[in-house]
Amino acid sequence: MLRNKQLAAWLDEMKTLCQPDALVLCSGDDREYNEMWSLLLDRGVAKRLNEDRRPNSYLVRSDPADVARVESRTFICSEAERDAGPNNNWVEPTAMRATLNGLFSGCMRGRIMYVIPFSMGPVGSPIAHIGVELTDSPYVVANMHIMTRVGQEVLDALGETGDFVPCIHSVGAPLDSGDEDVPWPCNPNNLHIVHFPASREIWSFGSGYGGNALLGKKCFALRIASVIARDEGWLAEHMLILKITNPEGISRYIAGAFPSACGKTNLAMLIPTIPGWQVETIGDDICWMKFGDDGQLHAINPEAGFFGVAPGTSMDSNPNAMLSMTDNCIFTNVAETDDGDVWWEGMTKTPPAHLTDWQGRDWTPDSDEPAAHPNARFTVAAAQCPVIADEWEDLAGVPISAILFGGRRSTVVPLVNEARSWQQGVFFGAIMSSEKTAAASGKIGELRRDPMAMLPFCGYNMADYWGHWINIGRGDGAHDGDHDGDHDGDHKGTKTGLKLPRIYYVNWFRKNATGKYAWPGFGENSRVLKWIFERCEGVGEAIDTPIGNLPAIDALDVSGLRLDPNGVAALLSVEIDGWLEEIPLIEGHFASYGEPVPTALHQELNWLKQRLLEAKQEAG
Ligand code: O2Y
Ligand code: MN
């Protein structure tokens, strides 16, 4: 049945450990998808939505104790603690293996073990990688059908000797004879989301939700892939990928990293407000980039679907997301309307007079709690997005012209700032910060550094990851640790003829003196993309400033926006004092990662400080 010897042996080992009642090799076909829903409907955890309003779609309510990724229970078990870095929870691998053996022993009794061969990326792409997830959750099987490519073609691509990332998942709730199952089995008190970077394995126990359980996504495509990318000289990033086309029909591809609550999915599916320009989507969350023979970084979206946050999504904020989910959709923890459709906060200006909330309770606009869980999700095939680009599944990927790093800053950080060099661009990514919103823990307004939006997703020491980015700019990121102490990760050589993407730091959230957003955002962000596009074409005008290249005031197309010219100037100004106040904060940020921070980044920080001091002196 299984030609791949390594896979057959691992399967035997996991079957013996987990003791499922039966084993099913997933085909990825429609019959199997429907069978998963029959099981979930019988269990009472899923409901089929009104066929006339939301064809072939389901609503699922999770256990209220299992509603999101849990970073505090996510572990990177590298051999040395130093290699996990201060950005990860580390447990010594042998000790963790002993814990996991105890947890997984007999954990699938009374359940079926589904074997899901899946590809992250189009099957056959040189940028794609294969995984196999074993799970006892039919909900996970159904979601993996949409989020990845599943089935025999993956096994064929794997062949007899191909490598795969083994991903074992259990909800951690065995059923002994006489036990009655619950709608959403889970084991939140024993939650473990564990990664072994050396052997590239993933073990997940106790949760059936999202990133904890759909192991192709954050666990594989970011945490384990970031380690593989470090070792092989490529980039596995928490980035959207978009295609932008100018009125002359010339297209460019842009990747962008944004922390949560910065409108990443909206940007990936943006509808430009400037006449003649078009934006299409390649991906909304994850981007794998490898060098092509042309010296450019070529990107694929390793996922096949969107697992998007529902609350806040509307025909105003993101029509293309709304139109993606008209049918064939899975909704998790949203509210249900009385006519069997879905609703969430922000979907319409006026909420329905009555709903069933995400926990199955009656809800009215007078209720104290939101109707949908704030982390309620929709799962839908990317192919259903009305603006998915034709080439989104091209095996060779798409050539990336620009990389955006963004954050939510009400002061200091300008609307857009172009790095003068790859090294400065990496510095931008490394210092990315956002003000905390009400949804995040901590004081509102306090700065949270989330380098490259990878803080919860980098599978190794963040400072080494910065070193890897620096090495990528030299054309060969493959390295094997830093044995000679010069902080370059023992960089193996430099390729010539590279055409690296330009790097930009963007901030849609700067406020004016009256506390209002100074930039309209949403579709108007196309104006910033236009300037970036023009810079890549070699025509957009920029001014060299102490912090980077900013658009010349007339270079940013604000026609028809009716913005106060002083407001536009403020969005593109350099606040020398504000930036000087940032310097000790950045120093503290780097100090928190200690000695492995690359020299190149300290250099960038010193140059920034120097140029700001000179500018201050000149200004008198
Ligand atoms: O809470 C979860 O399990 C989902 S987290 C998630 C899902 C889709 C895209 N991005 C994220 C994220 O946390 O970055
Ligand atoms: Mn994400």
Side-chain angles (χ1 to χ4, degrees):
M1 179 173 74
L2 289 170
R3 287 196 299 138
N4 188 289
K5 304 258 174 359
Q6 201 191 330
L7 175 53
W10 176 64
L11 208 50
D12 270 349
E13 196 190 324
M14 290 300 112
K15 210 169 66 178
T16 306
L17 177 66
C18 303
Q19 300 160 32
D21 281 6
L23 205 123
V24 169
L25 178 59
C26 291
S27 61
D29 63 17
D30 288 349
R31 186 201 49 77
E32 180 174 270
Y33 185 76
N34 294 333
E35 202 175 296
M36 295 305 113
W37 288 109
S38 298
L39 290 170
L40 294 164
L41 292 167
D42 285 351
R43 204 195 267 172
V45 68
K47 188 166 177 182
R48 193 159 171 131
L49 292 164
N50 182 336
E51 205 54 29
D52 295 330
R53 304 192 69 89
R54 205 66 67 165
N56 195 30
S57 297
Y58 298 90
L59 166 63
V60 176
R61 294 193 180 101
S62 79
D63 186 300
D66 190 17
V67 291
R69 290 189 296 103
V70 182
E71 285 168 23
S72 61
R73 302 301 304 161
T74 300
F75 302 91
I76 299 292
C77 297
S78 46
E79 295 297 325
E81 182 171 8
R82 175 251 166 261
D83 291 337
N87 46 303
N88 284 304
N89 300 312
W90 177 82
V91 172
E92 192 279 319
T94 314
M96 180 57 91
R97 284 193 189 279
T99 303
L100 292 174
N101 261 312
L103 290 171
F104 278 84
S105 181
C107 68
M108 293 192 189
R109 274 194 318 272
R111 299 193 185 279
I112 293 172
M113 177 189 269
Y114 297 97
V115 182
I116 314 174
F118 66 95
S119 178
M120 297 312 291
V123 178
S125 163
I127 312 178
H129 287 257
I130 288 173
V132 179
E133 177 161 351
L134 311 182
T135 180
D136 51 10
S137 162
Y139 170 81
V140 166
V141 176
N143 276 271
M144 287 292 283
H145 268 227
I146 296 177
M147 295 304 297
T148 71
R149 284 103 176 153
V150 174
Q152 186 59 42
E153 62 166 349
V154 178
L155 289 176
D156 292 344
L158 191 58
E160 285 181 27
T161 54
D163 272 339
F164 64 94
V165 170
C167 311
I168 171 91
H169 167 254
S170 173
V171 293
L175 289 171
D176 288 314
S177 59
D179 283 356
E180 210 180 303
D181 206 357
V182 292
W184 181 279
C186 59
N187 190 343
N189 294 330
N190 283 304
L191 198 61
H192 279 77
I193 319 296
V194 183
H195 310 73
F196 293 98
S199 50
R200 299 171 181 179
E201 287 165 72
I202 301 162
W203 294 64
S204 166
F205 184 89
S207 165
Y209 198 88
N212 299 332
L214 312 179
L215 301 185
K217 194 170 179 58
K218 304 299 186 180
C219 297
F220 179 174
L222 290 175
R223 298 194 191 96
I224 291 295
S226 63
V227 170
I228 303 176
R230 174 198 63 191
D231 295 344
E232 295 182 353
W234 51 280
L235 293 169
E237 300 303 322
H238 189 202
M239 290 182 182
L240 62 86
I241 312 166
L242 62 81
K243 173 186 180 186
I244 177 162
T245 306
N246 73 0
E248 286 72 47
I250 300 169
S251 298
R252 289 192 173 268
Y253 302 92
I254 297 177
F258 295 82
S260 53
C262 285
K264 188 172 161 196
T265 306
N266 297 352
L267 184 66
M269 300 176 191
L270 165 147
I271 300 177
T273 50
I274 33 178
W277 289 74
Q278 195 188 1
V279 167
E280 291 160 272
T281 311
I282 304 279
D284 76 327
D285 195 39
I286 299 177
C287 168
W288 286 355
M289 288 178 269
K290 294 188 183 176
F291 280 112
D293 294 337
D294 57 2
Q296 284 189 279
L297 281 171
H298 287 253
I300 60 164
N301 168 10
E303 300 190 278
F306 307 133
F307 186 65
V309 190
T313 309
S314 71
M315 284 306 283
D316 285 335
S317 67
N318 192 340
N320 286 321
M322 293 298 287
L323 296 171
S324 306
M325 44 173 133
T326 49
D327 55 358
N328 312 313
C329 199
I330 305 171
F331 296 95
T332 307
N333 290 344
V334 302
E336 185 188 0
T337 62
D338 292 349
D339 59 355
D341 199 3
V342 289
W343 191 86
W344 47 78
E345 277 65 25
M347 184 203 253
T348 53
K349 286 200 178 77
T350 316
H354 179 264
L355 292 164
T356 305
D357 80 358
W358 68 279
Q359 296 186 70
R361 305 171 302 194
D362 278 329
W363 186 95
T364 69
D366 292 333
S367 298
D368 292 334
E369 292 176 53
H373 186 278
N375 193 38
R377 297 276 163 174
F378 59 87
T379 317
V380 71
Q384 289 194 192
C385 179
V387 290
I388 198 78
D390 286 343
E391 62 275 45
W392 82 280
E393 297 193 282
D394 272 6
L395 301 186
V398 294
I400 297 295
S401 295
I403 291 175
L404 314 183
F405 292 122
R408 173 181 281 271
R409 294 293 302 266
S410 56
T411 58
V412 183
V413 179
L415 179 63
V416 55
N417 181 11
E418 180 189 70
R420 267 187 233 95
S421 63
W422 178 265
Q423 180 170 300
Q424 191 184 30
V426 177
F427 175 73
F428 285 178
I431 65 166
M432 255 171 73
S433 63
S434 266
E435 278 145 23
K436 285 181 180 157
T437 57
S441 56
K443 250 179 42 202
I444 293 176
E446 204 175 280
L447 279 192
R448 175 181 188 266
R449 301 269 164 201
D450 185 357
M452 283 85 166
M454 282 288 278
L455 195 57
F457 305 121
C458 182
Y460 59 104
N461 190 314
M462 180 64 77
D464 292 339
Y465 164 77
W466 295 335
H468 175 58
W469 265 81
I470 295 288
N471 289 337
I472 283 284
R474 294 174 186 152
D476 185 350
H479 55 83
D480 57 0
D482 191 65
H483 302 295
D484 54 11
D486 64 357
H487 309 301
D488 73 346
D490 288 355
H491 171 62
K492 280 178 184 155
T494 303
K495 260 189 213 151
T496 49
L498 290 187
K499 293 187 212 117
L500 293 167
R502 289 168 179 255
I503 300 182
Y504 297 82
Y505 194 156
V506 298
N507 173 27
W508 319 130
F509 301 97
R510 193 150 160 176
K511 291 186 175 165
N512 59 25
T514 61
K516 295 223 167 75
Y517 286 115
W519 181 249
F522 296 99
E524 306 299 357
N525 292 337
S526 55
R527 296 167 188 273
V528 176
L529 297 181
K530 179 184 173 192
W531 180 72
I532 291 171
F533 181 104
E534 288 167 350
R535 290 294 292 164
C536 295
E537 291 284 304
V539 292
E541 243 196 286
I543 296 172
D544 178 26
T545 80
I547 60 169
N549 296 329
L550 300 193
I553 199 84
D554 297 331
L556 186 70
D557 180 354
V558 291
S559 54
L561 261 188
R562 288 198 268 152
L563 289 179
D564 169 10
N566 292 332
V568 178
L571 277 165
L572 301 176
S573 68
V574 182
E575 279 183 28
I576 302 287
D577 287 334
W579 275 101
L580 280 168
E581 283 167 27
E582 291 274 312
I583 301 289
L585 304 181
I586 299 169
E587 283 167 350
H589 167 54
F590 284 169
S592 71
Y593 288 98
E595 185 265 343
V597 174
T599 313
L601 295 189
H602 287 299
Q603 241 171 33
E604 284 299 326
L605 180 56
N606 287 336
W607 285 338
L608 175 64
K609 188 172 169 180
Q610 227 25 65
R611 291 204 64 185
L612 288 166
L613 288 171
E614 281 164 20
K616 192 174 166 80
Q617 214 164 28
E618 270 169 39

